[in-house]
């Protein structure tokens, strides 16, 4: 089996984009033989995939290039596979969290629900239809990601290493998602250590550790480089998720493209909340935290109490410590790879400063 090639595009990033459209467009055409609903589902998968920032694929390509890799024809489908993997996780995550907006637009489940309502289905049937569609869409995206990895033209050793990496990524990320869901439902009592482990499992693996390692595998890097990238990826991913948790509470919805109330409504036990529970301001927050009917006005009040507490600063301290550890490790990486990792550190740090400005706005708002 050979991975599709996107020979018409020029830059590596363009080739990833072209390949994704080729793979998803071909699947959408095949789906037409099974009816318009199935074709619509693939159109929604394509819309979900093609709206991303290509953060993970750029890590794969940048790592491969920085390590002197010469297998761009294989790096491109591997990079595209991580974008499909990311999309699959987002679709399933939105379903688990009952979110209906992604990147400022109705997400896949919401769009499929609207299509069912338009045909005359009642609310209950439309909801069940949309949930089924989201499960299937995520599964289909995962399947295509695996197929792209399996089709690369590398030697058997490197191709097997990539497939093993994909299996490990799914195993760890699913475990992190399960724990995150359990904690949000009150089925466990996590401490800060457990919350940080969820950050590592749910986000660090598939967003940082695995893309870094994948680019290195395609470039045929040595075991010492792979080990160091694993360690760096874990810290970067943890820092990234901690910042994302802050963004999910304090940033405006137009900036993050999704609800900034859902985490408060669902009672997510993030590091922010776990710190806040030990502080005096928690008495203002606890009565309404996790209320299924939490409204925007009450959420603003909770946001203000959280901002006035020391909790956001304590989370920021965790982030800065992880980023400083990564910076300290840049000297042991191959000289050409250090700027690639350093650019990711700068991105996460920039996001932290952005969200802290929103924390300050919430703190001053009365």
């Amino acid at each position: 089996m050979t991975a599709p090639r996107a020979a018409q595009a020029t830059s590596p990033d363009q080739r990833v984009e072209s390949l994704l459209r080729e793979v998803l467009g071909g699947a959408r055409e095949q789906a037409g033989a099974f009816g318009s609903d199935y074709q619509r589902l693939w159109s929604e998968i394509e819309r979900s995939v093609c709206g991303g920032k290509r953060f993970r694929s750029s890590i794969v390509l940048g790592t491969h290039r920085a390590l002197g890799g010469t297998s761009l024809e294989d790096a491109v489908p591997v990079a595209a596979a991580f974008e499909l993997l990311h999309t699959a996780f987002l679709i399933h995550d939105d379903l688990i969290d009952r979110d209906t907006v992604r990147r400022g637009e109705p997400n896949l489940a919401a769009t499929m629900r609207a299509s069912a309502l338009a045909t005359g289905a009642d609310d209950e049937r439309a909801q069940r239809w949309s949930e089924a569609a989201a499960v299937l869409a995520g599964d289909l995206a995962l399947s295509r990601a695996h197929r792209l990895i399996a089709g690369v033209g590398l030697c058997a050793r490197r191709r097997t290493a990539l497939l093993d990496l994909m299996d490990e990524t799914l195993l760890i990320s699913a475990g992190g998602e399960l724990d995150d869901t359990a904690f949000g439902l009150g089925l466990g009592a996590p401490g800060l250590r457990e919350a940080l482990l969820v950050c590592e499992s749910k986000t660090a693996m598939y967003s940082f550790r695995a893309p870094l390692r994948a680019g290195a595998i395609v470039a045929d890097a040595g075991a010492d480089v792979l080990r160091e990238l694993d360690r760096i990826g874990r810290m970067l991913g943890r820092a990234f998720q901690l910042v994302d948790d802050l963004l999910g509470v304090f940033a405006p919805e137009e900036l993050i493209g999704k609800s900034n109330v859902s985490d408060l409504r669902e009672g997510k036990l993030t590091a922010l909340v776990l710190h806040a529970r030990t502080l005096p301001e928690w008495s203002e927050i606890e009565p309404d935290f996790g209320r299924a009917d939490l409204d925007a006005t009450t959420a603003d009040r909770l946001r203000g109490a959280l901002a006035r507490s020391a909790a956001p600063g304590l989370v920021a301290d965790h982030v800065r410590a992880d980023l400083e550890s990564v910076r300290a490790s840049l000297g042991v990486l191959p000289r050409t790879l250090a700027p690639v990792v350093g650019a990711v550190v700068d991105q996460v740090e920039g996001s932290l400063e952005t969200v802290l400005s929103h924390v300050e706005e919430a703190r001053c708002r009365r």
Side-chain angles (χ1 to χ4, degrees), residues 13 16 53-62 79-80 82-83 211:
D13 290 332
V16 169
K53 298 176 182 177
R54 301 293 178 260
F55 178 72
R56 291 148 193 86
S57 64
S58 69
I59 290 178
V60 174
L61 295 173
F82 276 95
E83 293 300 329

Side-chain angles (χ1 to χ4, degrees), residues 45-56:
I45 295 171
E46 186 173 6
R47 180 174 71 92
S48 300
V49 170
C50 293
K53 298 176 182 177
R54 301 293 178 260
F55 178 72
R56 291 148 193 86

